[in-house]
Amino acid sequence: AITMDKIITKQLLQAANLTTAPFIALNFNQLSEFDLSIVAKQIGFPCFVKPANAGSSVGITKVNKITELTHDFEKAFQCDHKLLIEQAIFGPELECGVLGNDNPKASAIGAISFTREFHDYETKYMDASGLKVTIPAELTKTQSHTIQNLAIQTFHLLACKGMARIDF
């Protein structure tokens, strides 16, 4: 339940000194007073605008320049009353499953590659030919262990139970 709110999730990760992409949280009632130049100064471009409480990449847009922000805010606010503006991170997209309760175990790491600009809703659910998951990901043993340990730490921190997928 905690992880459904991306802002709270990221705030908890920061408080535990677990690395997460830089972000700005914005509520709908703050929009009229929000200075768009803050995004350029604190986050930079490209960045992502995401509804705080939505899954499957619904309402997420990749923003390449400041003039796109207002439109993309409107799209995200259609899904939730608060949004997240998050710095784009360049590199492979990885996922790690975690299973268990008190003593969870991490799975092998999967590497996700896609043909679209980012791993959006259409890539996930509409265009199977544009998506490839490689398991195990081509990582060193040290990289794999680091990601698995971070996944388990995150699982505990966010009070997950049963099963979770932690994305990197």
Side-chain angles (χ1 to χ4, degrees), residues 86-135:
E86 185 177 57
Q87 185 180 73
I89 302 295
F90 299 97
E93 186 158 333
L94 305 171
E95 62 184 11
C96 183
V98 180
L99 296 169
N101 291 317
D102 296 330
N103 297 303
K105 305 289 184 226
S107 72
I109 290 121
I112 303 167
S113 57
F114 37 88
T115 56
R116 296 177 73 91
E117 192 170 8
F118 70 98
H119 195 194
D120 61 1
Y121 181 88
E122 285 76 20
T123 303
K124 290 178 180 180
Y125 302 107
M126 312 285 270
D127 182 16
S129 66
L131 178 67
K132 180 180 175 187
V133 180
T134 304
I135 303 172

Side-chain angles (χ1 to χ4, degrees), residues 8-94:
I8 291 173
T9 297
K10 290 176 78 63
Q11 289 169 337
L12 289 169
L13 291 168
Q14 284 180 328
N17 292 316
L18 293 173
T19 303
T20 185
F23 70 99
I24 296 170
L26 182 64
N27 289 312
F28 183 76
N29 61 0
Q30 298 170 313
L31 185 58
S32 63
E33 299 173 12
F34 186 72
D35 179 359
L36 296 178
S37 69
I38 291 172
V39 176
K41 293 174 190 166
Q42 292 184 14
I43 303 297
F45 294 96
C47 65
F48 289 93
V49 172
K50 304 177 178 187
N53 289 283
S56 299
S57 299
V58 172
I60 295 178
T61 52
K62 184 175 182 182
V63 183
N64 292 303
K65 53 189 174 183
I66 199 165
T67 56
E68 298 172 2
L69 282 172
T70 302
H71 174 264
D72 294 332
F73 286 175
E74 290 172 9
K75 183 175 179 179
F77 280 132
Q78 289 175 1
C79 300
D80 193 11
H81 71 280
K82 58 185 184 174
L83 62 79
L84 178 77
I85 307 156
E86 185 177 57
Q87 185 180 73
I89 302 295
F90 299 97
E93 186 158 333
L94 305 171

